[in-house]
Amino acid sequence: MNEQIRLDFQRPERLDFDEAILCARKSDPHLTVIMDRVLAHGARCLMTRLEPDVFARMAPTYRERLDYDPVSRTAYLNWTPPAELEPPRIAVVSAGSSDMPQAAEVTRTLAYLGAATKQFIDVGVAGLWRLLESVDELRTFPVIVAVAGMDGALPSVLGGLVPGVIICLPTSTGYGVSNGGETALHAALASCAPGLAVVNIDNGYGAACAAFRALNMIRRAAAAPTV
């Protein structure tokens, strides 16, 4: 098994963020070897799709090193919170409270990476006034992650109202013709609001990394010397 595990400890040098471990479909012994490798290297890692029952089976020596959240199914291994965060520059906007697990994966991933966020929860288009109440504030964020299932209308509406980078996170929330998030995905891909970026269904980690990449380039541009 050990030969099958090759962790990317050089990723921060290339991308400015760590490798994450997808826990789904990995065995308990497999996860143990991965955590041992991370700790032996003096590194840290983000663990995604870590189900509560899998976390509960881990030995106490591992659980005490993990900051675990069952809603997002994420865990931080060997992680220390940053001493200071800049004001939030990424907004996470979710259409309904049923989208909370995916939105939480976004916010937890970004918190691990050291990027503060502000959440706007349950502002879907079924009650458009809820979103319109926040539009002026949302216009101040350079990066927005729009989280929506069902018909997936929220990203298109946001795309016509605010100027920031919008990353669409379609979710599997819904039933019937929502088809496990495919309707929301197709709505985002087919949106007539120009310039939207789209990640895979329920891929909160991927949406967070896209937002972090955008924010990092904004930071670099702001820090670059003027000619």
Side-chain angles (χ1 to χ4, degrees), residues 24-200:
R25 302 185 70 178
K26 288 184 172 66
S27 67
D28 292 359
H30 200 163
L31 291 175
T32 297
V33 170
I34 290 171
M35 289 187 290
D36 284 343
R37 289 267 185 93
V38 171
L39 294 172
H41 200 267
R44 64 177 196 171
C45 75
L46 171 68
M47 305 175 75
T48 67
R49 305 297 169 100
L50 177 59
E51 299 294 344
D53 61 321
V54 177
F55 174 73
R57 289 198 301 268
M58 290 180 175
T61 53
Y62 295 111
R63 290 203 307 269
E64 67 189 18
R65 302 293 292 272
L66 290 168
D67 178 326
Y68 180 63
D69 173 55
V71 175
S72 63
R73 296 177 297 165
T74 59
Y76 307 157
L77 175 63
N78 207 29
W79 177 80
T80 302
E84 187 175 335
L85 287 176
E86 64 185 3
R89 302 177 73 187
I90 300 173
V92 180
V93 184
S94 52
S97 54
S98 295
D99 300 312
M100 183 55 66
Q102 297 90 339
E105 186 176 29
V106 176
T107 58
R108 283 271 298 177
T109 298
L110 287 166
Y112 172 85
L113 295 172
T117 59
K118 180 165 183 178
Q119 294 189 69
F120 297 78
I121 300 170
D122 203 12
V123 293
V125 300
L128 192 57
W129 57 270
R130 300 173 301 183
L131 178 62
L132 295 177
E133 283 183 342
S134 300
V135 163
D136 287 343
E137 185 177 4
L138 286 168
R139 286 181 177 140
T140 67
F141 287 88
V143 185
I144 295 173
V145 179
V147 188
M150 298 292 283
D151 61 358
L154 175 65
S156 287
V157 174
L158 268 176
L161 293 173
V162 301
V165 174
I166 297 178
I167 299 157
C168 308
L169 170 55
T171 74
S172 55
T173 304
Y175 49 87
V177 297
S178 294
N179 201 23
E182 289 189 16
T183 295
L185 173 63
H186 292 161
L189 290 170
S191 175
C192 61
L196 304 184
V198 187
V199 300
N200 199 6

Side-chain angles (χ1 to χ4, degrees), residues 1-9 19 30 34 37:
M1 184 196 309
N2 288 0
E3 292 74 18
Q4 299 170 2
I5 299 171
R6 300 179 67 183
L7 299 179
D8 185 4
F9 291 117
E19 179 180 16
H30 200 163
I34 290 171
R37 289 267 185 93

Side-chain angles (χ1 to χ4, degrees), residues 7-18:
L7 299 179
D8 185 4
F9 291 117
Q10 288 73 44
R11 186 175 296 181
E13 299 169 13
R14 303 192 312 271
L15 304 183
D16 286 337
F17 57 89
D18 308 328

